[in-house]
Amino acid sequence: EVIVVKHLEPFRLSLEKLKEVSTRLRKDMIRGLGKHTHHRAAVKMLPTFVRATPDGTEKGDFLALDLGGTNFRVLHVRVMEEEQKMVKMDSQLCAIPQEIMLGTGEQLFDHIAACLSEFLDSQNLKGQTLPMGFTFSFPCEQKEIDKSILIRWTKGFNCSGVEGEDVVKLLKEAIHRRGDYDISSVAMVNDTVGTMMSCGYRDQTCEIGMIIGTGTNACYMEEMKNVKRVEGEDGQMCINTEWGGFGDDGSLEDILTEFDKVVDRTSINPGVHTFEKMISGMYLGEIVRLVLMKLTEKKLLFKGEVSEALRTKETFETKFISMIEDGLENAKKILTELGLTWDLVDARVVRLVCETISSRSARLCAAALATIVDRIRANRGLPHLKTTVGVDGTVYKKHPKMQLSMHFLAPDCKIKFLVSEDGSGKGAAMVTAVAQRLALQSRLLEESDGEEDEEEKVRS
Ligand code: BGC
């Protein structure tokens, strides 16, 4: 086991190293926000045009669309002010088969438009035009809340003809091709933003959203004066960091292991989303598999015998990691299913490998989150900050260990984690609800300004 530990050494990141990673991310975030530096920045820091978190007075009925994983969902959401909660009135799920994930953009949006049509029919909603939010969980350059250009696909999607295009336009075109219904404006939302906003309705101190699921990412409320790409100095705007791209310029070279490099090389998007590939669910299982293969080749596992399953890419699912961490009995079952001949020592070693890979993921996320939290603190010139992070994603839910590291990485901040209940579904409704509230408030303000002017005139 001592030799095994030696092989796992490159995955163990000291607190010092994590602090270094955090400092690098801080610099990259500044680069991403800069007017002249953002074009080439690895961490994109995308403006979202979401200018406020909920204040609890939002209400109404909304439609929410959600695309980000292997399913597309449509939801009818009611925001109820009296009870301070969001209720899913009804919803429909449409699977996105692999051939569509890798097909043409037209096929993808036709599929989505068909699913939406079916839902509207079933709910008798085709005549109405409810305000609509669309959680689209990929990096997008937003020009406005309803204009959102896909920068690149991630997480196993690769539909042709969508990168560089406005997603709202593609959706509307697909709906027009059908011709059986129409929609009005659509607020485009990243899943991290949806998570922050839905948690923000319950806890109004929530100003960060984080996802550690199939992919990973975070957003937070930044001061407008630092968002150099968008006009205006006042107030705040939510920034979608797209931290998954951290390291794409080579800045994480010193912590990448040989296994990370293979995962990247054999992925459908080599060279991009370096940080994500060390952390998220789409890749963790594959890292473990590659490590197990290496240890077996070195005769440190399974008496040097590799099974056909273990040799095959992506057969070691990410969910096996938490199952194996839960107990040796699970480990034994899974190893048998993978066609391996194991003994007790093997089962223990496999568990150690799983723990090592999942704690590296948790610690790297903690380092990145610490950077954001400390930035918010510094932005406000506070010695201490107390804040809430809305979180979602299966990897986080199964491995909440990152909370431990936070204390060391952001010592001046006290952080509460709030697990979101379907933030990427309901959050899009909340973004739309907040936008409506802000529009109403500014209308009322203009009216009352007008009245004051009138009074002035009468007095003089
Ligand atoms: C995407 C992000 C998204 C994250 C979590 C990443 O691959 O680039 O936009 O927020 O996955 O779903």
Side-chain angles (χ1 to χ4, degrees):
E1 282 187 45
V2 180
I3 312 176
V4 171
V5 170
K6 205 179 108 245
H7 281 281
L8 296 179
E9 205 51 47
F11 290 105
R12 294 190 193 278
L13 303 174
S14 66
L15 208 52
E16 276 321 298
K17 198 45 140 189
L18 292 173
K19 284 187 183 154
E20 245 181 67
V21 168
S22 171
T23 308
R24 283 180 218 166
L25 178 61
R26 192 179 68 213
K27 292 190 182 137
D28 277 7
M29 283 171 62
I30 295 170
R31 206 169 294 148
L33 285 171
K35 195 165 192 149
H36 305 292
T37 44
H38 79 266
H39 300 287
R40 278 166 289 114
V43 181
K44 299 223 160 328
M45 305 297 281
L46 303 165
T48 64
F49 293 86
V50 169
R51 294 173 191 271
T53 51
D55 72 356
T57 64
E58 293 78 8
K59 58 175 177 238
D61 273 34
F62 303 89
L63 274 180
L65 315 183
D66 178 18
L67 180 75
T70 44
N71 292 313
F72 169 72
R73 283 188 314 153
V74 195
L75 306 87
H76 175 194
V77 180
R78 182 161 295 164
V79 181
M80 302 205 280
E81 188 187 2
E82 311 77 45
E83 289 147 72
Q84 286 276 297
K85 64 176 186 194
M86 277 190 280
V87 181
K88 183 171 82 184
M89 306 302 287
D90 223 313
S91 70
Q92 180 165 326
L93 190 120
C94 298
I96 310 272
Q98 182 107 36
E99 61 267 24
I100 290 195
M101 283 170 79
L102 301 174
T104 69
E106 233 172 69
Q107 283 168 328
L108 174 69
F109 285 95
D110 282 344
H111 187 67
I112 289 176
C115 182
L116 178 55
S117 167
E118 227 175 86
F119 182 70
L120 294 176
D121 269 336
S122 74
Q123 302 290 304
N124 253 329
L125 285 172
K126 265 197 178 145
Q128 297 180 39
T129 38
L130 291 182
M132 190 186 283
F134 187 177
T135 305
F136 185 74
S137 311
F138 302 95
C140 288
E141 184 72 55
Q142 274 185 248
K143 301 290 178 204
E144 256 310 325
I145 189 85
D146 59 353
K147 187 158 192 225
S148 191
I149 291 157
L150 177 65
I151 297 174
R152 63 169 173 239
W153 288 114
T154 59
K155 298 179 288 193
F157 273 80
N158 204 2
C159 303
S160 59
V162 188
E163 288 179 349
E165 298 293 325
D166 177 10
V167 177
V168 176
K169 188 173 138 260
L170 296 178
L171 174 65
K172 285 193 169 166
E173 282 171 2
I175 291 172
H176 294 159
R177 275 197 290 281
R178 302 176 53 86
D180 58 340
Y181 67 103
D182 211 350
I183 54 170
S184 54
S185 75
V186 186
M188 292 297 292
V189 183
N190 186 264
D191 52 352
T192 54
V193 183
T195 299
M196 176 186 80
M197 295 295 272
S198 69
C199 287
Y201 198 54
R202 277 193 285 159
D203 173 345
Q204 283 146 31
T205 65
C206 178
E207 50 192 343
I208 301 174
M210 178 175 78
I211 306 273
I212 321 176
T214 310
T216 184
N217 190 13
C219 71
Y220 72 103
M221 294 307 286
E222 176 61 89
E223 305 307 313
M224 265 305 278
K225 64 176 190 302
N226 298 329
V227 186
K228 303 281 196 296
R229 267 191 281 166
V230 181
E231 290 278 313
E233 296 272 303
D234 300 334
Q236 299 182 324
M237 182 174 283
C238 176
I239 295 294
N240 166 14
T241 65
E242 288 293 335
W243 76 19
F246 183 29
D248 288 2
D249 55 1
S251 71
L252 294 176
E253 191 56 35
D254 59 331
I255 60 166
L256 286 177
T257 67
E258 57 181 294
F259 308 100
D260 296 308
K261 291 181 183 167
V262 176
V263 165
D264 177 51
R265 245 196 338 265
T266 55
S267 68
I268 65 167
N269 55 350
V272 296
H273 267 212
T274 310
F275 195 56
E276 174 157 288
K277 287 172 184 166
M278 302 169 89
I279 289 173
S280 77
M282 179 116 190
Y283 311 97
L284 288 187
E286 184 62 4
I287 302 177
V288 170
R289 185 186 73 83
L290 292 169
V291 174
L292 298 184
M293 283 283 290
K294 170 91 182 257
L295 294 179
T296 314
E297 278 159 17
K298 297 265 171 212
K299 306 231 170 350
L300 295 166
L301 269 179
F302 316 126
K303 302 201 170 58
E305 298 279 333
V306 183
S307 71
E308 192 51 41
L310 193 66
R311 200 171 304 166
T312 315
K313 192 176 166 220
E314 283 161 15
T315 44
F316 195 97
E317 295 176 42
T318 294
K319 69 172 185 222
F320 294 167
I321 298 179
S322 53
M323 289 165 75
I324 290 174
E325 283 178 88
D326 275 348
L328 272 186
E329 285 314 305
N330 290 344
K332 294 174 186 171
K333 248 189 253 149
I334 289 168
L335 294 179
T336 305
E337 270 167 34
L338 289 171
L340 295 156
T341 320
W342 50 267
D343 61 22
L344 201 56
V345 177
D346 289 331
R348 283 216 199 97
V349 168
V350 171
R351 181 149 111 177
L352 182 66
V353 172
C354 290
E355 281 166 0
T356 307
I357 306 301
S358 74
S359 34
R360 181 184 67 155
S361 157
R363 286 163 75 86
L364 283 173
C365 265
L369 182 62
T371 315
I372 293 185
V373 180
D374 205 57
R375 178 169 175 90
I376 297 180
R377 183 193 61 75
N379 272 346
R380 303 201 184 141
L382 298 171
H384 295 283
L385 177 76
K386 228 174 121 178
T387 192
T388 302
V389 184
V391 274
D392 208 344
T394 41
V395 176
Y396 176 83
K397 287 180 184 162
K398 300 269 182 217
H399 307 269
K401 342 183 207 192
M402 65 176 289
Q403 297 182 16
L404 297 175
S405 320
M406 291 309 294
H407 176 63
F408 299 104
L409 293 164
D412 300 324
C413 303
K414 200 166 163 11
I415 301 148
K416 186 171 121 196
F417 288 84
L418 193 58
V419 174
S420 111
E421 288 157 23
D422 191 11
S424 52
K426 294 178 187 164
M430 188 45 69
V431 169
T432 318
V434 170
Q436 278 189 345
R437 167 173 65 79
L438 293 181
L440 184 69
Q441 277 170 350
S442 77
R443 243 192 344 262
L444 290 176
L445 209 63
E446 269 169 30
E447 275 171 23
S448 73
D449 275 357
E451 276 165 23
E452 272 168 29
D453 290 347
E454 290 287 295
E455 274 173 37
E456 285 286 297
K457 262 190 238 156
V458 173
R459 256 183 259 145
S460 60

